[in-house]
Amino acid sequence: MSQTPLIVGNWKMHKTIQETEEFCLGLKKEIDGIRSGQVEVAVAPPFTALAAAARLLKNSSISVSAQDVFWAESGAYTGEVSPKMLRDVGCRYAIIGHSERRQFFHETDDSVNKKAAALITEKLIPIFCLGETLAERREGITFTVVERQTRQGLKGLAITDPQDLVIAYEPVWAIGTGQTATPQQAQEIPAFIRKLLQEHFSPEMSRGLRILYGGSVKPENIAELMAMDDVDGALVGGASLNVKSFSAIVRGAGPKEK
Ligand code: PGA
């Protein structure tokens, strides 16, 4: 099956509206058109810059993602943003369960699951992040942790099109540390996740669902990561903040045959 790789830039808490506009114009110049149909690209600015990004990227091949969402439709939830609001501002994707949200903001497998369901209902695509910490890897419980995160995160989720969900495997020890997983490590866990997806959905769905790798992805290592069978793209933090390095990563990811 032919799979269009997906490269997502997770800006985290970076960039003002003006910086977002400059970045989007620069990125469009670098990659719009050239990569369309070969690599799908999305950027995830902070909430305050989503509208600016969506306006500038409208009618381009680049999508907009939020970095988080709350599961309720509306209500007394001070500080939160609903899937409907993300759709309204022009998002196609929303990242959920990022390790920084799990670590600093008490995100749990259960809240990730509720967010995924709410996004799917609103026809937005969850980018569901999971991955083990260094302590968990050293303890030898990587597979147990990843299995728990996958099963609980996907509980009750019903999707029929593999395009409706994206999984991002991000070993926490590789995020922002410059220490990328080896291509073998980046393959081993996504292959395991794909087996779990097969049980949860179906063999066909599991083959079609995109699994991204995240954690210190750079222009220098994108090609070897993308060469792994079960890596269908990348979630990029630090290197996505600069147009040159992000577009070099996009160019380094090619269409994949499965
Ligand atoms: P990094 O972040 O590329 O800076 O390691 C990845 C992420 O947190 O999604």
Side-chain angles (χ1 to χ4, degrees):
M1 191 197 311
S2 160
Q3 189 96 285
T4 308
L6 173 63
I7 304 293
V8 183
N10 173 15
W11 294 1
K12 309 190 180 185
M13 201 169 73
H14 293 284
K15 294 197 193 292
T16 59
I17 291 173
Q18 194 188 327
E19 288 162 348
T20 298
E21 288 171 345
E22 284 163 14
F23 182 97
C24 291
L25 289 172
L27 186 66
K28 267 207 317 197
K29 243 195 233 147
E30 284 280 339
I31 64 162
D32 198 20
I34 312 171
R35 307 303 295 180
S36 145
Q38 293 189 55
V39 180
E40 198 190 328
V41 180
V43 292
F47 284 128
T48 47
L50 285 173
R55 184 172 51 79
L56 282 166
L57 298 176
K58 207 174 171 185
N59 302 323
S60 82
S61 61
I62 305 158
S63 309
V64 176
S65 173
Q67 297 177 18
D68 189 25
V69 67
F70 188 60
W71 58 78
E73 242 186 78
S74 60
Y77 301 105
T78 302
E80 295 299 323
V81 172
S82 74
K84 197 172 169 185
M85 291 166 183
L86 295 184
R87 163 156 290 289
D88 185 43
V89 79
C91 286
R92 176 174 167 83
Y93 294 98
I95 297 170
I96 52 171
H98 190 281
S99 69
E100 286 149 17
R101 303 253 10 130
R102 292 180 192 255
Q103 186 186 347
F104 301 123
F105 305 99
H106 315 295
E107 187 88 276
T108 63
D109 293 329
D110 182 53
S111 61
V112 174
N113 178 248
K114 290 196 178 103
K115 290 177 179 190
L119 287 168
I120 289 168
T121 304
E122 197 56 44
K123 304 228 172 319
L124 288 163
I125 306 170
I127 301 175
F128 164 28
C129 301
L130 53 93
E132 82 287 1
T133 61
L134 185 58
E136 289 162 344
R137 181 162 278 263
R138 287 199 174 134
E139 225 186 295
I141 56 169
T142 297
F143 286 93
T144 315
V145 169
V146 166
E147 179 164 357
R148 188 207 71 223
Q149 291 174 329
T150 309
R151 286 194 194 282
Q152 296 194 11
L154 297 180
K155 208 158 67 191
L157 286 196
I159 53 162
T160 48
D161 185 334
Q163 296 300 314
D164 291 349
L165 174 70
V166 173
I167 311 265
Y169 168 60
E170 300 202 297
V172 180
W173 47 270
I175 296 178
T177 58
Q179 192 191 341
T180 320
T182 64
Q184 289 68 32
Q185 286 168 328
Q187 161 61 18
E188 188 182 34
I189 308 298
F192 173 66
I193 295 171
R194 209 175 292 282
K195 276 209 200 97
L196 298 172
L197 295 175
Q198 187 170 333
E199 280 172 39
H200 185 85
F201 297 111
S202 69
E204 206 186 28
M205 280 282 288
S206 134
R207 274 197 300 277
L209 278 162
R210 285 181 294 189
I211 304 179
L212 314 183
Y213 167 79
S216 299
V217 174
K218 310 177 253 258
E220 300 80 47
N221 59 24
I222 184 67
E224 61 185 26
L225 290 165
M226 290 303 298
M228 299 294 111
D229 273 358
D230 287 293
V231 176
D232 305 312
L235 183 53
V236 188
S240 76
L241 292 172
N242 173 284
V243 172
K244 287 272 174 266
S245 57
F246 189 56
S247 41
I249 290 171
V250 171
R251 274 192 290 270
K256 294 192 70 155
E257 287 303 316
K258 286 220 162 163

